[in-house]
Amino acid sequence: MKVIYTDVLVIGGGLAGLRVAIGARRRGHDAIVLSLVPPKRSHSAAAQGGMQASLGNVIKGQGDNEDVHFEDTVRGSDWGADQQVVRMFVNTAPKAVRELAAWGVPWSRVRQGDRDVIINGQKVTITERNEAHGLVAQRDFGGTKKWRTCYVSDGTGHAMLFAVGDQAIASGIPVHERKEAVALIHDGSRCYGAVVRDLVTGELTAYVAKATAIATGGAGRIYRVTTNAVICEGIGAAIALETGVAALGNMEAVQFHPTGIFPAGILVTEGCRGDGGLLRDANGHRFMPDYEPEKKELASRDVVSRRMEEHIRKGNGAKSRFGEHLWLDITLLGRKHIEHNLREVKEICQYFLGIDPAEKWIAVRPAQHYTMGGIRTFHTGQSRTLKGLFAAGEAACWDMHGFNRLGGNSVAETVVAGMIVGEFIADFCESPEGELDIPMALVREAMQAERAKLDALLNGHGPEQADRIKIEMQQIMTDKVGIFRTGADLEEAVDRLQKLLVRSRNIGLRYKVDGPNPELVTAYRTQKMLKVALCVATGALARTESRGAHFREDYPQRDDSVWLKRTLATWKDPSDTLPSLAYEQLDVMSMELPPGWRGYGAKNYVDHPDTPNRASALASLREKMQGADRHAVQAAVMPYEHLLPERFRGRNERIDEKLP
Amino acid sequence: MNTVFHVTDRSVPLSAKARSRWPARLDLLQSGTGLALGLFMWGHMFFVATILLGKDAMWAVARFFEGYFFFGRSLYWLVSLIVAIVFALFITHAALALRKFPASYRQYRTYRDHMAGMKHEDTTLWYWQVVTGFALFFMASVHLYIMMTRPERIGPFGSADRMWSDLMWPLYLIMLFAVEFHGGIGLYRLALKWGWFERGDPDATRRKLRAFKWAITAFFLVLGVATLVAYVKIGIEHAPFYGQPYEPAWVTGGHQP
Amino acid sequence: MSDPVSTPALRKLRFHVLRHDPRDATSVPHFQTYEIEEAAGMTLFIALNEIREQIDSSLAFDFVCRAGICGSCGMVINGRPGLACRTLTQDLPADITLAPLPAFELIADLSVNTGKWMRGMSERLETWVHSLQGDPDLRRLEERMDPDLADRIYELDRCVECGCCVAACGTARMREDFVGAVGLNKIARFSLDPRDKRTDNDFYELVGNDDGVFGCMTLLGCQDVCPKDLPLQTQIAFLRRKMARTGLG
Ligand SMILES: Cc1cc2nc3c(=O)[nH]c(=O)nc-3n(C[C@H](O)[C@H](O)[C@H](O)COP(=O)(O)OP(=O)(O)OC[C@H]3O[C@@H](n4cnc5c(N)ncnc54)[C@H](O)[C@@H]3O)c2cc1C
Ligand code: HEM
Ligand code: HEM
Ligand code: SF4
Ligand code: F3S
Ligand code: FES
């Protein structure tokens, strides 16, 4: 039995995982990072838009600060977020940008003087301040009051991932590439590491660690149509789930993006519609005005996505060998506009569709985009139920996104959580809890169990084909657990997924080699993905309200009186075919921002009984403290700074808020 | 110098031992000798081609290099000296270029396969540069040795006799093609290697340079072949008088053997 | 304007794929042919997955982002290295030959270990910002940078480490230790970055040799295949001048 010992085992080499490892390493703990692929190929690289941090350098960001960022994020989450965590996050995000700047990220910078920008389809001239010249610039992003999204031209995630990846190399952190964690080693209360499969040789190795951190990113691939990379299969969440102890939070909260090109799902920017592009159906009919006479194509992300799916369901989708889709028509914008202002879109169309968007329509369909849910943790990143297990990034439900995450908040989360969780992991390793009595029997058992599962697949002669099952699962998720949800659809989905799960226990492989065998990988991953998919579907079925990205046609209201709580899914027994659901209540009385109207979308919700009380308590407190410094007021309303690791406490300097 | 740089959790001194300065020098020397040889060849081709203007012209050029017009007589060692300098350049260049040759048959095969797959002009051109360079290694050595040891035989008849009666023309013909391709590609590569003429759009510059390179090569090949034919023609006519040097009419007073 | 939704006529495609599992002692490298029907907008990503799903479940290849972003899917397509996920079959003849990127360790079939090579290169060239002080005070305003300079650094930072430039380079093919255009571009990138306090002398230590910038024979395959259109020709020339100057000085 091959065993590798380390202090901190980080599963996942994306932005979150690498930053966690660097944090632990600089505190003097050895860390090993595992990744399915070379770390710089992680999906973090795909984030083009940017990273939110309230630096307030550009003129349109003037007046931005942690308070504004906090409110935007909580409203965005439809009050599903943990507000203390959001506070920790917004206070650390500017520090994260500044750290990355020092590490070499070539953030786009402010240039003093006039420049022309397009705001709401209008050309406007804005003037940047001289004192902002050369500081990190921000751009506009949906759902934010101020321009807050820091960016690196059109490659923010790429530049961030490479800088952090290079720092990891500089710190001498080994990254074990093409290794997949297939199970956690645990005794029901503490996690001791993971069983890891080498994707090249097929060999199993036990990685034993004081602390294990899961940073495996999203689970988009449980859907057929997704903007996510092909490795975003939610295996990290699945192995946590399979412990039977760790819980997945809010898995039903899944974000969709209206314009993924079809069938590849590659994202095309919202700018297409912003500039006047139209959505058309199979007959060439522009259908959005039928549904949304006022805003038409420019209604919010989730509304447009919903309408598109609705229209396809009515039989108006264009048919292709890969399924149904709609058309995005930007031909009317003219070649000049497309070649100058939408260059990226033009390239995507050229490379991936082989069409010229100035002449032809673009096949699009809403696509799964982001997994708000994940491994439920404390603010420290540690699982609430399995000691020694941590999670960060998209794989975690830390919970700063609630039921809808804002654009630009997720790459920000990866590095911020990486910084914070990295410190807490180091604390944990240094604490008595961190001490490790290695239960070798347990390690051996875990290894044997995984070996047995793989052997069963390799030697089995079951009639089921792994990729068929996987595709069917993806199709069910896209059709039935998509943007529009109804009780009937969800029941059907849960039922069919359960059957698939049973069938997946009967997979027979055509190719029976244990080395680089893609079929074997599909087989065991499909078994895991089905469990994650079931968490999404059952969670969605149970939640009889609409909140953020979770939209129930049969329950269109947000219902704080019943549903102001987080769904917790656990998988009690390996032979189960359904997760067990439990709920974690959100406490209105300790919220800094009690639930209300988000400021956009339908004003359609039922209040929690505590909401008026909390609102009036806050109003009187604020009145009492009138004239006090905003930090003091905040501290009185909802203290959080004590939760932050010491390194990252303290105010953030801005042009307009000088530090002494 | 031993600077300490900071990286997240540790400080790394960059290795204190200074590396050799030789790689830079050798690279410059290789390019420098290449450039010198390349430019020399342009001049050389014109000098030799003066035969096309007539025997007298060629005679004058040959005497010129012997210092005839300065000293009133031919100092043949002057030519030998020039050849020796070029020879030295040539050997230096060859020795340096040898470092770039495929070091083993395996490397050679790898390159060939790579080239066959890529179908990429600059990759293919390099191969031809190596092949022609390799050929020149032998041929030009012979030529240079003869030029150095028998400078007095350079002249309209001497050269023509060598071409025809001494049966050197096949060697010259091959060498001509080899050197024109080699030098042309070399100068083109030199410009790209050091980023000359790169203003603005490097792709456009490269396209222009490539067109220019082919034009130059074509020009010198035409010129060279014409020259070769001219020598061969004289060589055939002059074969019966093999060994007799040329004396221009204005020197001999119109009397010709 | 042509019909906005019509698609070109579809063909039968023949994929000739180089198959080999170096860990299997009985495996000999050979080409295997797969036939599939072309579809509108079919990329090599779609085609290879279809082959795997329907014909041969053992075929190994690497895709991650399938959007031309991550650099995972470099392979040799009809003789030239390129990113498979953003190559449309309609731009290729009906006979398509696919081989793994050479110059990298073969994992199986079309899958190669570029990650290991790139990490080695990064360690060797120390491709990170070297600062003279420790951590900056994260609460303070960030250091300023000229906006144009930031853009210029990003231009070079766009490299995705796909390895196409290494596979397309005859020098790298012949000489294993050559750092390749990718490595030289990194050095150019960091030498441009004022946050990196290394001097030209420091960089000379790293690439002032025949495995570094002086090893480049200006074959320019790198320039012509780089899927991110990095200005490799210009950067290598720039670095060569700089290192030659440093070497003489
Ligand atoms: C097209 C697109 C555009 C986006 N744009 C933006 C944007 O503009 N702004 C923004 O804020 N967010 C954006 N996002 C979201 C954001 O990019 C992601 O949420 C974030 O990068 C996730 O980072 P991560 O570190 O959590 O995971 P990832 O970067 O996905 O990394 C996961 C890592 O885990 C490894 N791994 C997975 N499973 C295992 C296993 N079982 N064993 C070992 N290793 C494993 C993988 O190899 C990988 O290294 C975008 C997302 C998409 C899809
Ligand atoms: C023994 C004979 C010769 C050999 C073996 C030889 C070989 C080579 C080789 C292999 C190169 C490529 C080097 C590289 O890519 O880095 C080269 C470059 C070059 N050669 Fe030659 N060569 C020879 C003679 C000549 C002659 C006679 C000329 C003059 C016309 C010449 C001109 C050049 C030029 C201009 C270059 C480009 C220089 C550079 O790339 O740095 N060579 N030679
Ligand atoms: C200083 C050195 C050199 C001198 C004095 C010299 C002189 C001559 C002379 C006199 C001729 C005419 C033929 C003859 O007399 O044999 C000739 C021809 C030629 N030389 Fe040289 N040469 C020199 C160097 C070179 C070099 C380095 C090369 C190339 C590698 C070269 C390539 C040729 C070729 C190809 C021809 C045939 C020309 C044609 O057909 O137009 N020479 N040279
Ligand atoms: S330089 Fe270009 S070809 Fe080379 S690794 Fe980077 S992106 Fe790929
Ligand atoms: S192909 Fe190779 S030789 Fe130089 S110019 Fe590019 S690195
Ligand atoms: S799969 Fe990412 S570039 Fe092709």
Side-chain angles (χ1 to χ4, degrees), chain B residues 44-45 86 140 143-144 147 154 159 162 172 176 224 227-228:
Chain B
H44 169 284
M45 292 310 291
V86 172
H143 174 54
L144 284 166
M147 292 299 126
I154 297 175
S159 294
R162 193 166 25 239
Y172 277 126
L176 173 69
T227 306
L228 200 70

Side-chain angles (χ1 to χ4, degrees), chain C residues 83-142:
Chain C
L83 294 182
C85 73
R86 59 172 226 188
T87 302
L88 286 159
T89 55
Q90 71 187 49
D91 298 336
L92 299 172
D95 279 283
I96 299 168
T97 305
L98 300 178
L101 283 189
F104 299 99
E105 179 187 295
L106 179 68
I107 290 173
D109 302 339
L110 298 174
S111 170
V112 293
N113 205 338
T114 45
K116 183 173 161 192
W117 194 98
M118 292 295 167
R119 169 102 185 195
M121 178 272 295
S122 272
E123 283 172 352
R124 190 164 136 207
L125 300 185
E126 304 187 5
T127 62
W128 55 83
V129 163
H130 289 52
S131 65
L132 290 174
Q133 318 86 37
D135 289 325
D137 182 349
L138 297 180
R139 298 172 312 141
R140 303 276 167 189
L141 289 189
E142 61 276 14

Side-chain angles (χ1 to χ4, degrees), chain A residues 577-600:
Chain A
T577 57
L578 278 181
S580 313
L581 297 187
Y583 291 93
E584 177 192 337
Q585 206 66 43
L586 270 68
D587 178 17
V588 176
M589 290 313 286
S590 61
M591 285 184 184
E592 178 173 345
L593 187 67
W597 183 49
R598 295 165 87 188
Y600 44 85

Side-chain angles (χ1 to χ4, degrees), chain A residues 385-421:
Chain A
T385 38
L386 191 56
K387 224 189 289 169
L389 177 68
F390 291 77
E394 195 174 338
C397 178
W398 189 30
D399 189 6
M400 52 162 286
H401 301 305
F403 275 77
N404 182 52
R405 68 113 185 166
L406 296 184
N409 253 357
S410 60
V411 284
E413 178 192 13
T414 59
V415 278
V416 168
M419 292 161 83
I420 293 176
V421 175

Side-chain angles (χ1 to χ4, degrees), chain C residues 118 158-165 181-182 225-228 230 232:
Chain C
M118 292 295 167
R158 282 164 43 248
C159 166
V160 293
E161 299 188 358
C162 63
C164 288
C165 58
V182 53
V225 302
C226 175
K228 293 288 144 186
L230 291 177
L232 299 172

Side-chain angles (χ1 to χ4, degrees), chain A residues 26 37-38 40-41 45-46 55 57 95 98-99 101-107 109-111 131-136 152-155 158-159 162 166 169-170 172-175 177-178 200-201 221 226-231 264-266 321-322 327 350-354 359-361 419 467-468 471 510-511 516 518-519 647 649-655 658-660, chain C residues 1-7 21 23 37-43 45-46 50 52-54 57-60 62-72 85-88 90 107-108 111-116 118-119 122-123 127-129 135-136 138-148 150-151 153-154 157-162 186 189-190 193 195 227 229:
Chain A
R26 61 197 297 166
V37 296
K40 287 173 180 166
R41 311 234 189 280
L55 296 179
N57 291 330
K95 298 184 175 71
R98 287 168 178 165
E99 179 177 84
W103 285 358
V105 173
W107 295 112
R109 302 286 174 145
V110 183
R111 184 192 313 279
E131 59 269 34
H133 187 76
L135 294 176
V136 173
V152 183
S153 194
D154 57 1
H158 165 86
F162 272 57
D166 284 337
I169 296 174
I173 295 171
V175 180
E177 297 172 7
R178 296 178 189 268
V200 177
T201 63
R221 288 280 155 179
T226 172
T227 62
N228 284 193
V230 297
I231 58 164
I266 296 163
R321 199 170 126 195
F322 303 104
W327 299 108
Q350 242 167 20
Y351 284 129
F352 296 99
L353 294 170
E359 298 208 335
K360 291 197 174 190
W361 300 345
M419 292 161 83
D467 44 20
R468 297 277 130 235
I471 291 170
R510 287 162 291 174
Y511 181 59
E519 193 184 6
R647 279 180 79 89
R649 291 184 194 166
R651 298 179 186 181
N652 297 299
E653 187 174 29
R654 294 184 180 79
I655 301 176
K658 288 274 178 262
L659 281 189
Chain C
M1 202 175 79
S2 62
D3 171 5
V5 298
S6 79
T7 48
D21 178 357
R23 261 155 294 275
E37 205 163 288
E38 192 168 27
M42 182 178 253
T43 58
F45 165 72
I46 297 174
E50 195 167 312
R52 185 145 90 186
E53 275 170 20
Q54 293 175 8
S57 61
S58 69
L59 185 62
D62 290 327
F63 288 98
V64 177
C65 72
R66 58 83 180 87
I69 295 169
C70 72
S72 299
C85 73
R86 59 172 226 188
T87 302
L88 286 159
Q90 71 187 49
I107 290 173
S111 170
V112 293
N113 205 338
T114 45
K116 183 173 161 192
M118 292 295 167
R119 169 102 185 195
S122 272
E123 283 172 352
T127 62
W128 55 83
V129 163
D135 289 325
L138 297 180
R139 298 172 312 141
R140 303 276 167 189
L141 289 189
E142 61 276 14
E143 228 177 276
R144 286 167 205 269
M145 180 183 275
D146 178 63
D148 292 323
D151 289 347
I153 296 173
Y154 174 64
D157 201 55
R158 282 164 43 248
C159 166
V160 293
E161 299 188 358
C162 63
K186 298 247 173 205
R189 181 239 177 272
F190 284 101
D193 195 328
R195 294 167 292 197
D229 293 322

Side-chain angles (χ1 to χ4, degrees), chain B residues 27 30-31 34-35 37-38 41 90 93-94 97-98 100-101 126 129-130 133-134 136-137 179 182-183 186-187 189-190 193-194, chain C residues 216-217:
Chain B
D27 196 56
Q30 182 189 333
S31 288
L35 178 66
L37 286 169
M41 276 315 289
F90 173 82
H93 174 76
L98 225 50
K100 309 280 169 180
F101 271 46
W126 188 81
Q129 201 175 7
V130 169
F134 192 62
L136 285 171
F137 190 73
V179 79
H182 184 93
L187 291 174
R189 196 181 302 289
L190 215 47
K193 195 169 179 172
W194 295 95
Chain C
C216 164
M217 304 190 299

